[in-house]
Amino acid sequence: MGQKLKIAGWVSIGVFAGALTTVSLQTVARGAMTPLPLEEIQQLSAVFGLIKTDYVEPVDDKKLITDAISGMVSSLDPHSQYFDKKSFKEFREGTTGRFVGVGIEITQEDGLIKIVSPIEGSPAFRAGLKTNDLITKIDDTAVKGLALNEAVKKMRGEPNTQVTLTVFRKDESRTFPVTITREEIKTQSVKGKVVEPGYAWVRLSQFQERTVDDFVRKVEEIYRQDPNIKGMVLDLRNDPGGLLDAAVAISAAFLPENVTVVSTNGQLPESKAEYKASPEFYQRRGSGDPLKRLPAALKSVPLVVLVNEGSASASEIVAGALQDHKRATILGSQTFGKGSVQTVRPLGPDTGIKLTTARYYTPSGKSIQAKGIVPDVMVDDSADGDPYAALRMREADLEKHLTSGQGEEQKDAAREKAREEARKRLEEEAKKPASERNKMPEFGTEKDFQLTQALNQLKGQPVVASKTQTERKEEKKDN
């Protein structure tokens, strides 16, 4: 056993020596000032050796090392992440707006998967699936109790493979199977329309590679339909963010040329940057400036930006830039507060890490991190208020979240009381039959209370501002 342990120890030292060589070269290249902690590295090597020799059953070397890397990165903050081959592929698909699947936007309802809408032209669209259809089975797997992300994984797959969905259609009171052939789907991150003569609504659900081009096409379409737009609502509610250059471009569409959109600050020289409303900061290599096609009137059209707790990262950059430059009125509720920059560093051809490298700052120098953007006008989700707003997660609620770096966070005792009251209300609501529960209307419809208030703001009419919402301060974080 002693000899075995010795051999395992040498193997582990060899493994980590190789890793150390790579790390030390990169450290020198980046001009790091501190030496590597050799004592701690030796402990890591010793643990590796002990697991190899003493654990109840054999453990794969590669699994041990990748799990160590994953743990090291994920312990930093909620947004730093190690990508194995599969997750790296999924991450790339998420930023391009392309994936292989059936082509439906989904949510959960009563433990089942509800179709919000089939993507136009997708296999699901051609198969006749409709909004509000409920998926009860994916192939042979019952959906009841299945997590949403697990359902998504089961519906995605390789091109030209088939998946059978069992669908319950409420209005026809029937259940039927649909076999769909998967194919590459291009998601639509931009929606928009003329909601009434002179007033337009444009919604961005995510900032992807195609978002800017889709935005330009949608605005062109709106101005062809009504050349005399008197006001526009830019809807960023529940937009989780995405690509920085897309956020800079959308901001530049409304701002004067060359003004600051956002700045970043971190340890590395390249982390200290300022991004301006200029093509050089958003234009893709080998392509022209997509914003040149936009009507000149967009630079001065009265603008309201809708945000909520689900507006994060890139959407907060846009809202912060338009607010600081007094280009738009921000309306809704305080945003998520995800104001950190993640940089993807490849570790090989199909693995990598996403590492937090800087914080974002609005043009006036305010940190977005763990604070978010505070609207100019607080407006509730509905005419009845925000009964469950206190339960919504924000960056400051996440374990190991990065602080703003601008002053100490304060604990809000009143918030804990509000959370408890909201939990009780939610429990009472859950006891009601599904048909009697309060459901939020779809964004962009006539019943969208916040959109109605945004239009009132543009028209100079009274806005029903929230009487209960207040700015939420950062909560104290123990380090």
Side-chain angles (χ1 to χ4, degrees):
M1 177 63 74
Q3 182 63 19
K4 202 173 179 183
L5 177 60
K6 192 173 182 180
I7 292 169
W10 279 111
V11 169
S12 62
I13 289 168
V15 168
F16 284 103
L20 277 175
T21 303
T22 306
V23 171
S24 62
L25 288 173
Q26 291 177 346
T27 304
V28 170
R30 293 191 176 278
M33 301 300 291
T34 56
L36 289 168
L38 294 179
E39 185 177 335
E40 286 76 11
I41 296 290
Q42 286 170 348
Q43 285 184 351
L44 182 61
S45 176
V47 170
F48 183 93
L50 287 169
I51 292 172
K52 289 296 294 179
T53 57
D54 293 10
Y55 189 65
V56 64
E57 57 186 32
V59 183
D60 180 64
D61 287 354
K62 186 176 180 181
K63 180 183 180 340
L64 277 177
I65 294 170
T66 55
D67 285 354
I69 295 170
S70 179
M72 190 183 342
V73 176
S74 64
S75 69
L76 299 171
D77 64 68
H79 307 294
S80 293
Q81 180 184 355
Y82 168 71
F83 292 125
D84 58 17
K85 187 174 182 178
K86 185 179 179 183
S87 58
F88 207 20
K89 181 174 180 284
E90 290 173 352
F91 172 76
R92 285 167 171 164
E93 287 176 348
T95 57
T96 60
R98 299 180 181 183
F99 61 92
V100 174
V102 299
I104 49 176
E105 295 178 29
I106 61 174
T107 186
Q108 275 189 314
E109 183 177 287
D110 299 327
L112 300 176
I113 302 301
K114 179 181 177 181
I115 297 178
V116 175
S117 65
I119 297 171
E120 191 172 344
S122 70
F125 183 87
R126 297 194 299 270
L129 295 186
K130 298 180 180 180
T131 297
N132 295 326
D133 280 350
L134 294 173
I135 299 171
T136 60
K137 285 176 71 176
I138 303 170
D139 288 327
D140 296 324
T141 303
V143 165
K144 190 76 172 177
L146 197 67
L148 196 63
N149 64 328
E150 288 299 319
V152 170
K153 286 180 182 178
K154 287 186 178 297
M155 284 187 279
R156 291 188 182 182
E158 295 300 317
N160 300 317
T161 59
Q162 290 187 329
V163 60
T164 299
L165 305 180
T166 303
V167 177
F168 173 65
R169 185 163 290 166
K170 287 182 183 178
D171 55 0
E172 297 176 12
S173 296
R174 68 185 181 103
T175 299
F176 56 93
V178 180
T179 299
I180 300 175
T181 301
R182 299 178 178 98
E183 62 183 51
E184 183 182 72
I185 308 297
K186 296 179 181 179
T187 60
Q188 296 295 319
S189 61
V190 181
K191 294 179 181 179
K193 61 184 177 180
V194 176
V195 288
E196 58 182 80
Y199 296 94
W201 168 77
V202 178
R203 169 157 174 73
L204 273 62
S205 59
Q206 200 171 351
F207 288 84
Q208 301 171 333
E209 286 181 4
R210 299 169 55 243
T211 297
V212 179
D213 288 331
D214 289 348
F215 172 80
V216 171
R217 278 193 289 271
K218 182 57 66 177
V219 170
E220 287 179 316
E221 179 186 310
I222 286 169
Y223 272 87
R224 279 196 300 270
Q225 186 179 342
D226 187 346
N228 301 309
I229 294 294
K230 295 182 287 187
M232 181 175 287
V233 178
L234 179 64
D235 191 346
L236 301 178
R237 289 173 294 178
N238 291 347
D239 183 331
L243 299 175
L244 174 59
D245 60 351
V248 174
I250 298 300
S251 302
F254 297 99
L255 291 172
E257 190 170 356
N258 240 10
V259 300
T260 299
V261 172
V262 65
S263 61
T264 63
N265 192 23
Q267 283 200 77
L268 296 171
E270 58 262 36
S271 298
K272 304 176 194 302
E274 193 172 11
Y275 297 84
K276 295 181 178 290
S278 175
E280 66 186 280
F281 293 97
Y282 60 78
Q283 189 173 318
R284 298 272 165 83
R285 187 178 297 175
S287 62
D289 181 2
L291 302 189
K292 281 189 174 180
R293 294 172 12 223
L294 288 171
L298 200 67
K299 292 285 187 182
S300 57
V301 66
L303 184 67
V304 168
V305 179
L306 281 175
V307 295
N308 64 5
E309 292 91 342
S311 306
S313 190
S315 54
E316 294 177 288
I317 288 172
V318 175
L322 296 176
Q323 184 182 54
D324 277 8
H325 289 295
K326 303 189 185 307
R327 176 62 186 88
T329 300
I330 312 301
L331 187 148
S333 52
Q334 192 169 349
T335 61
F336 185 78
K338 198 272 181 183
S340 57
V341 184
Q342 279 69 49
T343 304
V344 176
R345 309 279 194 204
L347 297 177
D350 50 18
T351 61
I353 61 170
K354 181 175 66 169
L355 196 65
T356 299
T357 54
R359 290 182 177 90
Y360 284 122
Y361 298 86
T362 69
S364 64
K366 291 181 292 187
S367 172
I368 296 172
Q369 176 59 24
K371 287 185 175 180
I373 303 299
V374 180
D376 301 304
V377 183
M378 297 274 198
V379 174
D380 294 329
D381 287 345
S382 70
D384 297 324
D386 283 332
Y388 311 118
L391 296 177
R392 293 175 187 152
M393 291 288 288
R394 296 179 70 253
E395 178 79 11
D397 297 317
L398 299 179
E399 200 174 337
K400 303 172 188 169
H401 75 268
L402 191 69
T403 65
S404 68
Q406 293 184 334
E408 187 180 0
E409 299 176 331
Q410 300 297 317
K411 185 72 175 177
D412 188 353
R415 179 163 175 76
E416 291 307 313
K417 183 181 178 183
R419 275 179 172 163
E420 187 57 36
E421 291 172 353
R423 284 191 196 98
K424 290 177 182 176
R425 284 194 294 269
L426 187 60
E427 287 170 5
E428 290 301 314
E429 185 73 15
K431 293 176 184 176
K432 298 178 183 177
S435 58
E436 296 178 16
R437 293 176 195 166
N438 292 323
K439 294 179 181 177
M440 292 304 299
E442 186 181 345
F443 291 157
T445 63
E446 292 180 359
K447 295 181 180 179
D448 186 341
F449 179 75
Q450 289 184 326
L451 176 57
T452 300
Q453 303 315 307
L455 293 171
N456 287 345
Q457 176 74 30
L458 289 169
K459 297 172 187 175
Q461 296 176 359
V463 173
V464 182
S466 173
K467 294 179 181 178
T468 57
Q469 285 193 56
T470 57
E471 178 183 348
R472 180 178 161 187
K473 304 292 184 181
E474 291 180 86
E475 296 180 6
K476 188 174 182 179
K477 179 184 176 185
D478 295 325
N479 292 315

